[in-house]
């Protein structure tokens, strides 16, 4: 899942981005309203975390312009202002949720999960492929009832492949959904992660789930 974080306070942006990446999200960061609008226009995001008090164009303006341009990406607004009028304004401009600073990071994660469940691209609580079971809330994985430990990035890659079960996904697709805007889709890092994931997921099992389609990409399916 790829998120856009719009926050001009560098320490806060670094803290939130680090925590989200540790929870298997790919994160792009924008520091002002104009950059946020540009990022949203050239990339596809599953959700946007939007601070209200940002330079050039504030969060209310950014949210309104996104909706006017037809963007339906879920927007969670962050602000130190907790007045009822501000919350109403944000919702009227098209925000899907509101979180007041300071907040517990666990609450931010819960709000993001709730927005993703409510959006058109529903993230199921559980994904099952053959004997593979993925708990997307706890971010835990089992095969044949045995839990398989994965790093955050390995998990993100596996969940994306599982959500696209039966469909070949190319390197550009993986880069867009699992990494952020700074990732080079032509590096060999995707191959390294696929190899590590295949070793953990398929190495000791009779049925292979992760397959390579030469020149096209990768597919997760028990019937290939």
């Amino acid at each position: 899942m790829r998120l856009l974080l719009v926050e001009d306070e560098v320490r806060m942006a670094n803290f939130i981005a680090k925590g989200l990446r540790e929870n298997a999200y790919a994160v792009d960061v924008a520091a002002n309203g104009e950059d946020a609008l540009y990022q949203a226009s050239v990339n596809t995001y599953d959700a946007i975390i939007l601070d209200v008090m940002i330079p050039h164009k504030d969060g209310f303006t950014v949210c309104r312009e996104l909706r006017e341009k037809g963007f339906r990406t879920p927007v969670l607004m962050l602000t130190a202002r907790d007045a009822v009028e501000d919350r109403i304004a944000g919702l009227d401009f098209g925000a899907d949720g509101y979180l007041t600073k300071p907040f517990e990071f666990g609450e931010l994660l819960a709000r993001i999960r709730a927005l993703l469940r409510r959006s058109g691209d529903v993230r199921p609580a559980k994904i099952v492929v053959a004997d593979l079971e993925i708990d997307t809330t706890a971010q835990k994985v089992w095969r044949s009832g045995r839990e398989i430990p994965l790093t955050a990035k390995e998990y993100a890659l596996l969940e994306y492949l599982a959500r696209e079960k039966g469909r070949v996904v190319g390197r550009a697709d993986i880069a867009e959904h699992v990494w952020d805007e700074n990732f080079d889709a032509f590096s060999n890092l995707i191959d390294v992660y696929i190899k590590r994931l295949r070793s953990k997921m398929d190495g000791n099992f009779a049925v292979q789930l992760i397959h390579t389609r030469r020149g096209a990409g990768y597919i997760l399916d028990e019937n290939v």
Side-chain angles (χ1 to χ4, degrees), residues 37 67 102 106 109 119 223:
L37 289 168
R67 296 310 187 221
L109 292 175
S119 69
N223 297 317

Side-chain angles (χ1 to χ4, degrees), residues 24 149-156 193 196 200:
L150 300 175
T151 66
K153 192 57 70 178
E154 289 169 350
Y155 171 82
Y193 271 94
R196 286 167 52 177
K200 292 183 178 183

Side-chain angles (χ1 to χ4, degrees), residues 108-176:
L108 174 62
L109 292 175
R111 295 288 188 93
I112 293 171
R113 290 195 297 268
L115 288 183
L116 294 174
R117 285 196 299 269
R118 284 156 42 192
S119 69
D121 185 15
V122 178
R123 187 187 194 191
K126 183 181 292 186
I127 302 174
V128 177
V129 181
D131 61 345
L132 168 66
E133 182 178 332
I134 303 174
D135 183 332
T136 64
T137 301
Q139 296 187 351
K140 292 186 177 181
V141 176
W142 297 266
R143 276 208 72 176
S144 296
R146 189 180 80 191
E147 184 173 353
I148 300 176
L150 300 175
T151 66
K153 192 57 70 178
E154 289 169 350
Y155 171 82
L157 176 56
L158 176 65
E159 183 186 315
Y160 177 64
L161 291 173
R163 290 175 65 209
E164 301 296 326
K165 173 185 176 295
R167 185 176 80 87
V168 176
V169 291
R171 302 171 65 87
D173 295 320
I174 293 173
E176 179 178 348

Side-chain angles (χ1 to χ4, degrees), residues 58-223:
D58 65 21
F60 295 142
T61 303
V62 170
C63 190
R64 187 191 71 240
E65 291 191 14
L66 286 173
R67 296 310 187 221
E68 289 174 347
K69 293 176 180 178
F71 288 89
R72 292 293 173 259
T73 308
V75 174
L76 175 65
M77 302 200 79
L78 303 180
T79 182
R81 298 154 57 177
D82 59 357
V84 173
E85 292 80 6
D86 290 333
R87 295 199 294 272
I88 292 173
L91 296 173
D92 284 345
F93 284 135
D96 299 276
Y98 219 96
L99 187 59
T100 303
K101 298 176 180 178
F103 53 82
E104 294 292 332
F105 193 77
E107 183 179 4
L108 174 62
L109 292 175
R111 295 288 188 93
I112 293 171
R113 290 195 297 268
L115 288 183
L116 294 174
R117 285 196 299 269
R118 284 156 42 192
S119 69
D121 185 15
V122 178
R123 187 187 194 191
K126 183 181 292 186
I127 302 174
V128 177
V129 181
D131 61 345
L132 168 66
E133 182 178 332
I134 303 174
D135 183 332
T136 64
T137 301
Q139 296 187 351
K140 292 186 177 181
V141 176
W142 297 266
R143 276 208 72 176
S144 296
R146 189 180 80 191
E147 184 173 353
I148 300 176
L150 300 175
T151 66
K153 192 57 70 178
E154 289 169 350
Y155 171 82
L157 176 56
L158 176 65
E159 183 186 315
Y160 177 64
L161 291 173
R163 290 175 65 209
E164 301 296 326
K165 173 185 176 295
R167 185 176 80 87
V168 176
V169 291
R171 302 171 65 87
D173 295 320
I174 293 173
E176 179 178 348
H177 289 87
V178 181
W179 275 269
D180 58 31
E181 63 175 340
N182 298 311
F183 182 74
D184 179 7
F186 296 100
S187 76
N188 70 342
L189 195 58
I190 291 177
D191 304 311
V192 171
Y193 271 94
I194 288 288
K195 182 178 180 180
R196 286 167 52 177
L197 195 57
R198 184 178 280 137
S199 175
K200 292 183 178 183
M201 300 304 305
D202 288 342
N204 297 315
F205 297 92
V207 176
Q208 306 294 292
L209 295 178
I210 301 174
H211 308 272
T212 301
R213 289 284 179 84
R214 191 172 299 278
Y218 305 95
I219 182 171
L220 188 147
D221 199 333
E222 73 273 28
N223 297 317

